[in-house]
Amino acid sequence: MDFDYSDRTKELQARLLAFMDAHIYPNEGAFDDEVAANGAERGNRWIPTTLIERLKPLAREQGLWNLFLPRSPRAPEGLSNLDYAPLCEIMGRVPWAPEVFNCSAPDTGNMETLERYASEDIKRQWLEPLLDGAIRSAFAMTEPDVASSDATNVATRIERAGDDYVINGHKWWISGAGDPRCRVFIVMGKTDPGAERHRQQSMIVVPADTPGITIKRPLPVFGYDDAPHGHCEILFDNVRVPAANLLLGEGRGFEIAQGRLGPGRIHHCMRAIGVAERALELMCKRLASRVAFGRPLADQGVWRERIAEARIRIDTARLLTLKTAWLMDTVGNKKAQSEIAMIKVLAPTVAQQVLDWAIQAHGAAGVSGDFPLAYQWAANRTLRLADGPDEVHRNAIAKLELARYG
């Protein structure tokens, strides 16, 4: 296996790093200030920031737009998973940076889903404006009343009524639904509860302004509201959409979900590695600049041990993620399922530990808003639930390993 980055990837890395230095890192405080000002002065934190909207055209001009999109008729020169992984890592170093490049979740997963599974009419209506960055989207699967880490438990009903489908259900933690630019949902529900267990579910495209959709509340993550993106609790009450909005056909929802989650896990994991790298960088700078008990903290054994352990863990996670990306590109998602599960456990766990050490190194400043560590810790901790709990992935890994021995 040769994991040397392609010439094209190296060139994009250089441009992306330069863009981050020029436009992203210097504006971290400005982003937070603008969201806070929208709340204080306009009474609404759920307003898209002028900062990101100003940076998007610059990213497009520099060819740093829709980098996530695999090769397809709409992206004949799209990147492979292995090519995109190091770019995703760079963007992941700042939580809001991926949106500048139109590479943020859940839009990336939704765009890939529409590209793979939607009709041409649906693509024209929803995929093209998403690719253009004109609108945003959300993916509605998780529910409060069932263990929806197992998609077969999803209870929302999608029932045929003539030329339409009618949707009734209760969803929560629907990321992106709080953004006023969110114009469309992809909703997962059951079309036939009596079918075989993995053929009961379907996915359907639902315009966000359809009557019967109620956003009950935004849900905070460890006290952070993640405005203007947000994660919302939503009710679907007799929501009626054309039957043509169903993706692939009845009973194909689980199949679509599996196809959607593979690349998304590469994205999440590489962003998590970017978070860990940033945390290690901040930790080293802090330890080199602070003196305690008569000598720099960087000279004290416990901190050297933690720095070394952080470097070992980050590089381990990166290499396994690159191997997984390579397998997905060469043999497909199904044959890479063990590696996908492994990186889903490993990457956020590594990032969380490095963040914890970095917070400790910063002392009281580490839990403040003066550094990005506390927010990154909260956001990263949710990945161990949001993209499937660790326990589910570990169980899948163990089953595949045991199967090798009959």
Side-chain angles (χ1 to χ4, degrees), residues 18-326:
F19 193 101
M20 295 285 289
D21 287 340
H23 303 293
I24 303 297
Y25 299 129
N27 281 309
E28 286 186 273
F31 175 86
D32 293 336
D33 291 344
E34 184 174 353
V35 175
N38 285 338
E41 299 168 10
R42 304 169 68 177
N44 185 2
R45 289 168 56 83
W46 306 91
I47 299 173
T49 62
T50 57
L51 169 62
I52 288 182
E53 296 308 311
R54 175 174 57 81
L55 293 178
K56 284 180 179 179
L58 298 179
R60 295 186 79 152
E61 289 169 9
Q62 297 186 27
L64 300 172
W65 189 256
N66 288 339
L67 296 172
F68 75 93
L69 195 64
R71 293 184 184 93
S72 68
R74 284 175 171 77
E77 297 184 1
L79 298 172
S80 68
N81 286 302
L82 185 58
D83 285 334
Y84 179 61
L87 308 178
C88 193
E89 176 183 338
I90 294 168
M91 289 184 273
R93 291 167 64 93
V94 175
W96 50 267
E99 185 186 348
V100 172
F101 310 101
N102 212 37
C103 290
S104 54
D107 295 321
T108 51
N110 288 340
M111 285 188 271
E112 287 194 18
T113 297
L114 295 175
E115 176 62 30
R116 290 184 186 185
Y117 305 116
S119 67
E120 285 303 314
D121 285 344
I122 292 292
K123 289 179 183 180
R124 280 191 293 271
Q125 187 175 8
W126 300 115
L127 176 58
E128 290 180 3
L130 281 168
L131 288 170
D132 194 47
I135 65 172
R136 298 206 64 186
S137 63
F139 181 69
M141 185 182 85
T142 306
E143 299 181 3
D145 299 324
V146 300
S148 42
S149 57
D150 177 359
T152 63
N153 287 336
V154 168
T156 293
R157 290 301 311 275
I158 302 173
E159 298 176 283
R160 187 68 183 252
D163 293 333
D164 298 327
Y165 279 101
V166 178
I167 305 162
N168 284 282
H170 187 184
K171 301 286 188 180
W172 74 341
W173 295 106
I174 309 308
S175 298
D179 192 318
R181 297 165 298 176
C182 180
R183 296 285 194 271
V184 64
F185 298 99
I186 297 177
V187 179
M188 186 165 185
K190 285 188 176 177
T191 42
D192 184 1
E196 185 272 324
R197 188 163 176 259
H198 291 89
R199 297 284 297 178
Q200 298 175 7
Q201 307 80 16
S202 300
M203 286 194 194
I204 194 164
V205 175
V206 181
D209 60 358
T210 306
I213 298 175
T214 302
I215 296 182
K216 287 188 65 177
R217 57 172 176 152
L219 298 161
V221 179
F222 290 102
Y224 296 101
D225 63 8
D226 280 352
H229 183 63
H231 319 276
C232 295
E233 183 176 1
I234 304 177
L235 294 177
F236 293 85
D237 183 14
N238 289 323
V239 175
R240 183 178 290 265
V241 296
N245 285 22
L246 199 75
L247 296 177
L248 280 187
E250 290 194 10
R252 308 288 295 276
F254 199 86
E255 173 189 345
I256 296 170
Q258 292 302 101
R260 181 185 192 278
L261 288 175
R265 286 178 184 147
I266 288 290
H267 302 174
H268 281 312
C269 292
M270 289 311 297
R271 281 192 291 263
I273 292 166
V275 167
E277 279 286 4
R278 183 108 191 269
L280 177 57
E281 174 188 313
L282 291 171
M283 179 167 68
C284 288
K285 289 179 178 178
R286 183 75 170 187
L287 294 173
S289 66
R290 306 291 276 197
V291 174
F293 306 107
R295 57 183 176 148
L297 287 173
D299 289 346
Q300 299 181 17
V302 66
W303 286 112
R304 292 200 168 193
E305 181 179 344
R306 288 171 179 171
I307 290 168
E309 189 63 28
R311 170 50 59 212
I312 292 166
R313 295 189 189 192
I314 291 170
D315 284 5
T316 300
R318 179 184 291 110
L319 286 169
L320 182 56
T321 303
L322 291 173
K323 178 191 176 186
T324 305
W326 175 75

